[in-house]
Amino acid sequence: MDGFAAVDFAFARQVLQRGVAALFLVAFVSSLNQFRPLLGERGLLPATELLAWARSSPRAGRMLRPTLFRRVRYTDRRLTALCAGGIVVSASLVCGIPQLGPPWVPMVAFLLVWFGYMSIVSIGQTFYGFGWEMLLLEAGFLAAFLGSDDQPPATAVIVLFWWLLFRLEFGAGMIKIRGGREWRDLTALMYHHETQPMPGPLSRQAHLLPAWFHRGEVIGNHLAQLAVPWLLFAPLLGLWVPGPVPAIIGAGAAAAVIATQTWLVITGNFAWLNWATIVIAFAAVGLPGIGAPAGPAPSDPPWLVDGMPLWWVVVTSGVALLYVWISIPSMRNLFAHRQLMNASFNRWQLANAYGAFGTVTRQRVEIVVEGTRDPDPDTAVWHEYGFKGKPGDVRRIPRQFAPYHLRLDWLMWFLPLGRTYEDWFAAFLGRLLDADPAVLRLLAHDPFAGEKPAFVRALSYRYRFATRDEHRRDGVRWVRDRRRTVVPALRGTGAARMER
């Protein structure tokens, strides 16, 4: 680092800009494919109803976060156009095209995708209530101030990325150490690989590893989230301490974070949470000799400060000062007795509090949805609907979807943990009775090939990974038992209306 310019962090900037843009691309594609059946004009939780409520009173309006659809009437076509525009701009950033211009060009591009995606998240309700939504938004806002290829990134912005990663990792570590006993007695990972929301193709193999390995996983997690984040700021010492040691310490801390997140990528399906963490961790990787050299002295025209235009130094410094102010609540939260998890302290979802899995469930309960075309539900033959990501068929190997986000499948995991008959789930069952094509496209298997069932119902099962012996004997990846009915047979009586 060299004063205002982080001259050794040009490679880090390339990873940050292109990586964050790639995740926005995935997020817009996910929304293009899923928003309309989930939240569109005929969705399970129509966004139009939320927007109408927000217009009902000034107080309600203030509770809705910023969105383009406060000014422009929502339609599914406009949502499609917004997603398409977001995909195009994100793709251009991945290719590095805006970065070839002056720094205001990539700034505008990132702010466009940032506000465009915020416009979706703000009306996404429970389907967009995940911590990685605000993480992507915050990373996108910061990426807007990383500058162009022809100048070094600003030190202030690189440090803000370290601060984001610190809140993400240290906040998650504090949530765990204060949370369930399983994190303190080192047994959490003996259950997590099996009970996590959406297992991946290697989750079963990870679960079957010996107990000593799982205890080592927990110890490694605590070190990576409680000790390592403090070392991310070591490169700042390079402003005063000569030599490569500060940069090496920072890069080592980043490597530790990247390694632990890569293990989570391999063994799970956490949308873009782990991928975003990996991308952000590269902010601490300084590579001397790869980057723009410091520019002429400030007195030389054009007026530059450490290789950056003066106006850009003012802008990035202003963003840093703003962050110091808005970070006060999140700093307090890290050390608060009642620490909040995945909380935002301002309308723009900046300087947020992060954290995940303060407790780990020890049993996996799955809601299985079935339908029948037989007239009598008591004697009927029932057929199971198949989801893309959540466990169902006990012989199927879980697929890798992350960083793509299957929103319906994720909410299905939460159902047994709370109120089973959520409003969206009731609407979902109604759309199955109607054989709604848009909703059926969210599934992997429709047992009725687009025809309407006479009845649908929901059952719960306990699922566990098959042992090696069970897999060799029966060819199954899962074993399920403890069947019970959670929603009895429902008969369709018209679009989205049901009777028992």
Side-chain angles (χ1 to χ4, degrees):
M1 290 186 164
D2 187 10
F4 287 101
V7 294
D8 295 334
F9 289 82
F11 173 76
R13 174 177 59 195
Q14 292 291 336
V15 176
L16 289 168
Q17 287 180 323
R18 295 171 190 253
V20 170
L23 295 176
F24 269 114
L25 178 61
V26 172
F28 279 114
V29 170
S30 171
S31 295
L32 180 64
N33 293 336
Q34 300 176 62
F35 190 95
R36 287 167 293 173
L38 296 177
L39 296 145
E41 293 170 291
R42 294 193 65 255
L44 305 184
L45 296 177
T48 49
E49 295 181 5
L50 174 67
L51 291 164
W53 171 80
R55 290 191 295 269
S56 65
S57 70
R59 182 175 179 273
R62 288 191 297 270
M63 294 178 66
L64 182 67
R65 296 189 186 277
T67 174
L68 175 68
F69 297 111
R70 287 290 301 272
R71 305 297 179 186
V72 178
R73 184 174 67 87
Y74 174 89
T75 66
D76 286 349
R77 287 188 176 183
R78 287 171 179 165
L79 184 280
T80 300
L82 176 59
C83 291
I87 290 170
V88 170
V89 178
S90 299
S92 71
L93 287 163
V94 172
C95 295
I97 297 173
Q99 295 92 308
L100 297 175
W104 64 265
V105 178
M107 179 186 73
V108 170
F110 269 110
L111 290 179
L112 283 174
V113 295
W114 168 71
F115 186 70
Y117 193 62
M118 181 186 292
S119 295
I120 296 172
V121 173
S122 296
I123 59 174
Q125 304 171 73
T126 189
F127 289 105
Y128 282 75
F130 299 90
W132 49 77
E133 309 287 6
M134 65 172 66
L135 174 62
L136 180 58
L137 289 173
E138 184 171 358
F141 177 83
L142 293 179
F145 302 97
L146 283 168
S148 302
D149 289 348
D150 63 350
Q151 62 188 46
T155 297
V157 179
I158 293 295
V159 173
L160 288 178
F161 269 103
W162 300 347
W163 171 230
L164 170 57
L165 184 59
F166 181 88
R167 282 180 282 120
L168 179 61
E169 287 292 278
F170 189 72
M174 292 297 288
I175 282 285
K176 291 179 177 66
I177 210 69
R178 291 165 164 166
R181 180 181 177 182
E182 61 273 13
W183 287 109
R184 296 187 294 275
D185 65 16
L186 307 183
T187 61
L189 275 300
M190 297 179 186
Y191 310 101
H192 167 78
H193 297 296
E194 180 177 77
T195 64
Q196 62 181 304
M198 196 182 303
L202 297 179
S203 299
R204 177 175 164 270
Q205 286 79 357
H207 175 71
L208 295 176
L209 290 170
W212 64 262
F213 184 89
H214 293 310
R215 293 184 187 276
E217 284 183 289
V218 178
I219 293 172
N221 180 88
H222 289 330
L223 290 174
Q225 294 192 323
L226 294 173
V228 168
W230 296 94
L231 303 178
L232 295 168
F233 300 96
L236 278 176
L237 298 175
L239 295 171
W240 304 281
V241 179
V245 173
I248 291 173
I249 294 174
V257 172
I258 291 170
T260 56
Q261 294 297 316
T262 300
W263 176 245
L264 294 175
V265 167
I266 292 171
T267 60
N269 265 307
F270 293 96
W272 54 78
L273 173 62
N274 308 123
W275 290 100
T277 308
I278 290 171
V279 169
I280 296 167
F282 272 93
V285 179
L287 298 177
I290 302 180
S299 58
D300 294 341
W303 202 5
L304 300 178
V305 178
D306 293 336
M308 298 183 295
L310 177 61
W311 70 269
W312 188 244
V313 173
V314 172
V315 169
T316 54
S317 299
V319 170
L321 291 174
L322 169 67
Y323 246 81
V324 170
W325 174 252
I326 65 176
S327 292
I328 294 175
S330 56
M331 172 64 82
R332 290 174 175 169
N333 181 70
L334 286 174
F335 302 98
H337 178 65
R338 297 182 179 274
Q339 181 187 357
L340 299 178
M341 182 176 68
N342 296 328
S344 180
F345 303 99
N346 55 75
R347 288 173 53 78
W348 300 96
Q349 301 189 69
L350 302 175
N352 307 306
Y354 298 101
F357 292 100
T359 60
V360 174
T361 54
R362 301 195 175 202
Q363 290 189 352
R364 180 179 200 95
V365 178
E366 286 289 343
I367 303 298
V368 173
V369 180
E370 297 179 335
T372 183
R373 302 198 71 195
D374 296 343
D376 184 356
D378 294 329
T379 60
V381 177
W382 293 86
H383 304 278
E384 186 175 326
Y385 287 90
F387 288 77
K388 294 179 178 179
K390 74 179 289 292
D393 181 358
V394 295
R395 294 178 178 271
R396 188 181 70 174
I397 300 174
R399 289 180 55 191
Q400 186 69 40
F401 285 95
Y404 191 81
H405 187 11
L406 295 174
R407 301 177 185 280
L408 178 62
D409 296 61
W410 264 82
L411 285 194
M412 288 294 295
W413 180 80
F414 283 104
L415 277 180
L417 306 181
R419 186 168 61 94
T420 301
Y421 210 59
E422 296 278 357
D423 291 343
W424 68 264
F425 188 56
F428 172 67
L429 296 178
R431 296 303 164 82
L432 293 182
L433 286 167
D434 291 337
D436 183 85
V439 170
L440 291 175
R441 282 194 291 271
L442 297 175
L443 304 177
H445 172 62
D446 170 19
F448 308 107
E451 298 294 323
K452 293 182 179 181
F455 296 90
V456 295
R457 69 181 183 183
L459 310 175
S460 73
Y461 288 90
R462 183 187 68 166
Y463 272 65
R464 63 171 177 83
F465 277 132
T467 65
R468 292 183 178 89
D469 288 340
E470 289 169 330
H471 175 62
R472 282 192 294 266
R473 185 184 68 239
D474 304 323
V476 296
R477 270 79 186 181
W478 296 96
V479 174
R480 68 183 189 183
D481 57 12
R482 299 186 184 178
R483 174 184 178 275
R484 72 182 184 90
T485 300
V486 292
V487 178
L490 302 174
R491 183 202 308 268
T493 60
R497 298 194 303 275
M498 302 168 290
E499 64 181 22
R500 301 197 177 198

